């Protein structure tokens, strides 16, 4: 990050820490309060109030710096500003803005690190403070960890309020009417006599005064947008096919590139023969890369075909080549020297496990991200300026990486962030951006669009971590008495930090997420995490560690409840120690009419509750065994995010998370043979099919004290709820994903 520093900054030492998204840092240089990146636009009649709002005679522009990955956050960010600015849909335009430290993510300052949400010790408080300072120091602009709404909820409303009050001050100067007698409405300041002064007409005057900082946010009773259904800004262009995603970028003189790097992630390229490819139609150039080759052609298809015609001698994988070897490495990690941390040890476990003990082993495989839009980036490299058009969750990291590759100063690398056709953590990585810059550097001044084929997107993915659990427990008097859970997992956080050139300090808080924080008052509960030595390089995947740990934890809890002869819902309610989580369980029990449900033979219901990203989420899945296989009939889901900004988008997010969780639990895995991913396209990696999708009913609660995100929490409970339902219907206990290894689905 040295290129981001200048002489005005002071050295500041912060201990490295891990966060969701897998980044950590050691010694960095501190900047003062981040500069407003819009200040260059100020003047000539344009008012700039803060990094999120600028107005001139032509219109109102709101900046939404969190990347829209398909989850609708560009609209949500705009709504939060518009709520306090007093503008309506259609009165403003929205831009993603430029990469800037001013947009650092405030919500990730500790909330995704497990000890941060439970430990109130002095050391934990110090760590929380250091982490918050670190994020501000680095200007960590990141979209991920279900953090967009928590990060934006207060500061974007305040940004709108600052602009509103400054415009009122400008109107007071213009009209001579005291500010106290002015109000705002639909993009205008309204005088006592009803005269309206449009914001755009006040922009010139507002540009001459300092923004008003002493503002009061409005009472929720006055909200016009927050909490009400909204039409997302991207719905019409997406529905009409007119929205431009990163892969849709076109410009004059553009050429297209395809790359080939070792399909054994991290392996070397020994040699290649591109003679056949060089003579193919449309091919203009074949260029070497640090660990591969790129073909430049006049369109993407020809670049793909030529790249496939190159003959390579690839080096071996720097990890075990066969899938069985990976599972063996995980199984061998349940040893003292691989212990990452003992996260919980309540009661007297050794004494409690002295009687009849139930034991089980669970497994969760590697998973691809596989968004519908494959990775792509457009790069144009000139001696004094570089432009990158791409959709990325980490724009400043990508910007700096491009600067290192091209030798151009960071401030001269202009990254234009785009709408993304999905991510699920895929676009936290920047390998494709680096490759685009590496190719474009060799054809100066020419815009080069690098596109991964679907097969290369699978082959070059950094998948979800592989993991396994071993659990034991016992019951007493019809109740769950003791529960010991050990999880061994590859550390996705350590893998990501290794790519950033940083060590992994201390335990990885993502390995136990969704398991260590079970919201139940178990008399005896122990949870240990073991770190598996790195195998295939991995990365954050939607809901990160909770996607597997939640399956392990709730799945075995259900086994214990069954052994006790208790009702799955009632025993969870009895054990629930957290008031917010209990209300979530009560809601899903009421929605599904759990007590009154009468299910016939071959039918079953399962319930699961997992807390991730500070959000307790409970799901009930109902299934029916049919001659064609297991059918999922309906899913009820309840979760508490503290405050719902847009109920329609919330409902969509939650349903999408359920579908994502069910589909991957049923059908998906990445396996390795000869060091290569065997699944290369959707024919071998099927999510939930349309005909398999159940009816999903959602209820959002708002009892939590903090505002949370809804993008990831619905994913972890889906797998255990489905497995528990299948057990209720058939007596078959599923302990390994994907479930289609053991049962067929209709």
């Amino acid at each position: 990050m040295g290129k981001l520093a200048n002489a005005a900054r002071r050295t500041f030492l912060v201990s490295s820490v891990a966060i969701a998204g897998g980044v950590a840092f050691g010694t960095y240089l501190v900047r003062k309060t981040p500069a407003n990146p819009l200040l260059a636009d100020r003047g000539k009649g344009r008012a700039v109030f803060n990094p999120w709002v600028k107005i001139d005679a032509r219109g109102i522009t709101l900046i939404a710096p969190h990347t829209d990955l398909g989850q609708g956050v560009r609209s949500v960010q705009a709504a939060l500003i518009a709520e306090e600015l007093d503008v309506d849909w259609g009165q403003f335009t929205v831009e993603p803005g430029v990469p800037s430290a001013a947009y650092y993510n405030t919500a990730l300052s500790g909330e995704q690190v497990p000890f941060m949400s439970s430990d109130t010790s002095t050391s934990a408080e110090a760590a929380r403070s250091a982490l918050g300072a670190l994020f501000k120091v680095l200007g960590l602009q990141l979209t991920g960890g279900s953090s967009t709404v928590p990060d934006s909820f207060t500061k974007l409303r305040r940004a709108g309020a600052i602009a509103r009050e400054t415009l009122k001050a400008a109107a007071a100067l213009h009209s001579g009417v005291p500010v106290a007698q002015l109000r705002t409405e639909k993009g205008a300041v309204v005088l006592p006599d009803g005269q309206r002064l449009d914001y755009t007409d006040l922009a010139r005057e507002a540009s001459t005064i300092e923004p008003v900082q002493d503002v009061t946010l409005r009472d929720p009773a006055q909200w016009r947008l927050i909490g009400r259904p909204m039409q997302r800004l991207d719905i019409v262009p997406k529905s009409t096919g007119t929205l431009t995603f990163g892969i849709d970028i076109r410009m004059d003189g553009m050429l297209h590139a395809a790359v080939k790097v070792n399909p054994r992630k991290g392996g070397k390229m020994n040699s290649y023969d591109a003679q056949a490819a060089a003579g193919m139609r449309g091919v203009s150039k074949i260029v070497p890369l640090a660990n591969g080759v790129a073909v430049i052609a006049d369109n993407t298809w020809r670049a793909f075909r030529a790249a496939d015609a190159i003959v390579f001698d690839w080096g071996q994988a720097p990890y075990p080549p066969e899938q069985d070897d990976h599972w063996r490495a995980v199984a061998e990690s349940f040893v003292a020297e691989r212990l990452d941390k003992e996260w919980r040890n309540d009661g007297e476990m050794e004494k409690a496990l002295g009687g009849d003990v139930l034991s089980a082993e669970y497994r969760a495989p590697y998973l691809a991200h596989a968004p519908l839009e494959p990775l792509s980036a457009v790069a144009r490299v000139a001696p004094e300026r570089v432009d990158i058009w791409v959709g990325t969750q980490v724009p400043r990291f990508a910007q700096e990486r491009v600067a290192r590759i091209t030798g151009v100063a960071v401030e001269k690398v202009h990254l234009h962030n785009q709408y993304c056709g999905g991510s699920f953590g895929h676009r936290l990585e920047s390998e494709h951006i680096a490759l685009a810059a590496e190719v474009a550097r060799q054809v100066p001044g020419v815009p080069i669009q690098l596109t991964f084929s679907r097969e290369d997107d699978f082959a070059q993915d950094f998948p979800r971590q592989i993991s396994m659990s071993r659990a034991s427990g016992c019951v007493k008097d019809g109740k769950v008495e003791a529960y010991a859970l050990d999880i061994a997992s590859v550390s996705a956080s350590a893998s990501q930090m290794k790519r950033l050139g940083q060590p992994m300090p201390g335990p990885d808080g993502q390995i136990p997420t969704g398991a260590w924080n079970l919201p139940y008052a178990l008399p005896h509960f122990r949870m240990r995490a073991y770190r598996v030595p790195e195998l295939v390089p991995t990365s954050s995947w939607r809901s990160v560690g909770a996607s597997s740990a939640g399956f392990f934890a709730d799945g075995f809890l259900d086994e214990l409840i069954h052994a006790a002869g208790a009702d799955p819902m009632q025993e969870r309610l009895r054990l629930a120690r957290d008031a917010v989580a209990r209300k979530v369980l009560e809601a899903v029990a009421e929605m599904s009419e759990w007590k009154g449900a009468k299910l016939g033979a071959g039918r079953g219901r399962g319930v699961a509750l997992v807390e991730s990203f500070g959000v307790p989420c409970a799901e009930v899945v109902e299934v029916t065994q049919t001659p064609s296989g297991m059918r999922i009939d309906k899913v009820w889901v309840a979760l508490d995010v503290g405050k719902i900004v847009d109920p329609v988008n919330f409902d969509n997010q939650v349903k999408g998370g359920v579908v994502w969780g069910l589909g991957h639990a049923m059908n998906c895995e990445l396996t390795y043979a000869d060091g290569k991913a065997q699944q290369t396209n959707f024919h071998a990696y099927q999510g939930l099919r349309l005909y398999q999708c159940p009816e999903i009913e959602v209820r959002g609660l708002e009892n939590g004290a903090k505002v949370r995100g809804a993008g990831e929490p619905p994913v972890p409970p889906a797998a255990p709820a489905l497995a528990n339902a299948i057990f209720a219907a058939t007596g078959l206990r599923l302990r390994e994903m994907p479930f289609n290894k053991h049962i067929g689905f209709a």
Side-chain angles (χ1 to χ4, degrees), residues 663-703:
H664 284 84
M666 292 162 57
N667 301 325
C668 298
E669 67 176 337
L670 271 189
T671 57
Y672 289 82
D674 190 26
K676 304 173 186 177
Q678 293 179 286
Q679 294 73 24
T680 59
N681 211 318
F682 289 120
H683 71 285
Y685 191 86
Q686 295 187 11
L688 194 71
R689 310 298 288 183
L690 186 61
Y691 63 84
Q692 295 175 317
C693 189
E695 179 185 354
I696 303 171
E697 183 179 328
V698 175
R699 182 179 298 180
L701 307 182
E702 297 180 310
N703 299 307

Side-chain angles (χ1 to χ4, degrees), residues 400-521:
E400 187 191 330
R401 190 166 186 181
V402 169
R404 290 199 303 269
I405 290 169
T406 60
V408 174
V410 170
E411 58 271 19
K412 294 184 178 180
V413 175
H414 301 266
L415 189 145
H416 313 273
N417 214 351
Q418 306 295 310
Y419 272 104
C420 303
S423 174
F424 318 113
H426 205 23
R427 300 177 203 279
L428 284 166
E429 302 292 339
S430 56
E431 299 298 309
H432 61 299
I433 304 173
L435 287 168
E438 197 174 347
V439 175
R441 181 177 60 85
Q442 300 182 64
V443 280
V446 178
I448 301 291
Q449 182 177 59
L450 170 69
T451 307
F452 275 31
S453 69
R454 181 68 64 190
E455 289 74 17
D456 285 327
D457 193 274
F458 268 87
Q460 297 304 323
D461 194 8
F462 295 94
R464 183 187 77 171
Q465 69 282 347
I466 188 175
S467 56
M468 179 187 296
S469 74
R470 291 176 178 169
S472 57
C474 60
V475 300
K476 182 179 180 181
D477 300 328
K479 300 175 182 178
V480 179
E481 178 72 6
Y483 184 179
L485 177 64
D486 292 342
I487 296 176
S489 176
V490 167
S491 171
S493 298
S495 184
Q496 287 177 289
M497 288 189 291
K498 181 180 178 181
R499 292 191 289 280
L500 292 170
Q502 295 294 322
M504 177 69 187
D508 179 3
Q510 279 301 328
I511 293 175
T513 296
W516 79 275
N517 54 341
L518 283 176
Y520 300 118

